[in-house]
Amino acid sequence: MRRTRAVAVGVVSGARISPQLNKVKFGASFSPCFARKSSVATIYFHQRYSSTTSTSDSNPTNNSNSNDKTNVVNKEKTDKPTKPKFKFDRKRLWQLISLARPEAALLSVSLVSLGISATSNLVLPYGIGKILDTIANPLTAQYSLTQVVASLGAIFVLGGAATILRISLIGIAGERLVQRLRGSLFFSLISKPLSYFDSNRTGDLINRLSVDVEIVSRTLTSEVAVGLRRIIEGIAGLGIVFYLSPQLSIYVLSTVPIMAISGLFFGNYIKSLSRSLQDAAGKANQVAEERISGIRTVKTFTQESKEHDNYADHVRAVFLLGRKAAVSRAFFFGGIQTLAYLCLVGLLYKGGSLVN
């Protein structure tokens, strides 16, 4: 019975178990743990090994080896990360959108401001063309150069004011959403039973209150606004190009699949890297939290250097993933920018050939 309890505590606390001596040795694989988890694990292993006490006493060496192998295999299976499967859920989507419903007034005004600022950006190429036409043919031009420049200046001032209003309102709506989500999430967490906190680490719950809430708020406010702006500019831009030159519009649309496919491929790759980076950072924070919480145990067995090396390995893994993600983002944005400029050069060449 005592040997079974020692094995249980040793497995949970990360101690090294010698199958020949059936003793617990705190060596290179030492890792502190909480007393509550050790007691729970002791009861679990006691129940598991109680049915095989007689066979284990008759042949202790073979049974301890087999039990250790079983524990290692089970630990590898539980520690192996599983890739979450994406499944579109319309109900969850509407629940997510309903979180921003109290900020509907601010978001509506910001959307109107977004439309004004996007329209002012689309006027720029048309205004530059009018200025060039006026300079090239001042006698036949419909408006003078002063009138064209003054009109463009007024439009750009209006677009700048709309941009200021849009960013301010979206920022206020986002902060209100963060405040409301954090309050609701904290109340939900403290209302959970104690068993919930036994199965979820404190660091993960704190990350939900800080990082996850910020991500949800940014997605429902800033990211949605940026996406709507791109959609408005794209649709309006294609409409203007189709109005000016249908042939040139077909050429422009032919370059869209190339950029879309490349952007989708690299975007999914960078997304997977970001997820791995976040998981690695979470593991590093988890190690730091456990070691600092059990600092008395660490100092009792003089394992400061070992725990420092362990944490350094996790930080090194975070660095390697971060470096890989940074280089991938650099290639992604650099490639997209190069491809966009090449398409622009081809567009100017095609437009010039049509004019000639």
Side-chain angles (χ1 to χ4, degrees), residues 12-44:
V12 175
S13 61
R16 186 176 58 188
I17 302 173
S18 176
Q20 288 80 11
L21 300 178
N22 290 327
K23 294 182 180 179
V24 180
K25 294 182 179 180
F26 291 94
S29 61
F30 170 77
S31 176
C33 65
F34 299 104
R36 181 175 60 184
K37 294 183 178 179
S38 298
S39 61
V40 174
T42 302
I43 297 173
Y44 168 74

Side-chain angles (χ1 to χ4, degrees), residues 84-103:
K85 295 181 179 180
F86 175 76
K87 183 179 180 180
F88 179 75
D89 193 348
R90 185 178 300 178
K91 184 178 179 180
R92 291 289 181 89
L93 178 62
W94 284 112
Q95 288 179 352
L96 189 64
I97 295 175
S98 64
L99 295 175
R101 186 175 300 173
E103 315 302 332

Side-chain angles (χ1 to χ4, degrees), residues 29 80 119 138 180 183-184 193 200 227 233 240 252 309:
S29 61
K80 186 176 180 181
T119 304
R180 189 169 59 254
S184 301
N200 293 275
E233 290 180 351
I240 293 174
V252 172
D309 295 338

Side-chain angles (χ1 to χ4, degrees), residues 36-98:
R36 181 175 60 184
K37 294 183 178 179
S38 298
S39 61
V40 174
T42 302
I43 297 173
Y44 168 74
F45 278 94
H46 168 66
Q47 294 176 352
R48 180 175 179 180
Y49 286 98
S50 60
S51 60
T52 59
T53 303
S54 58
T55 56
S56 115
D57 291 336
S58 61
N59 194 0
T61 303
N62 295 332
N63 283 282
S64 62
N65 290 331
S66 61
N67 291 333
D68 292 339
K69 292 180 181 180
T70 305
N71 293 333
V72 171
V73 172
N74 292 333
K75 185 177 180 181
E76 291 178 354
K77 290 181 179 180
T78 55
D79 293 342
K80 186 176 180 181
T82 57
K83 186 177 180 181
K85 295 181 179 180
F86 175 76
K87 183 179 180 180
F88 179 75
D89 193 348
R90 185 178 300 178
K91 184 178 179 180
R92 291 289 181 89
L93 178 62
W94 284 112
Q95 288 179 352
L96 189 64
I97 295 175
S98 64

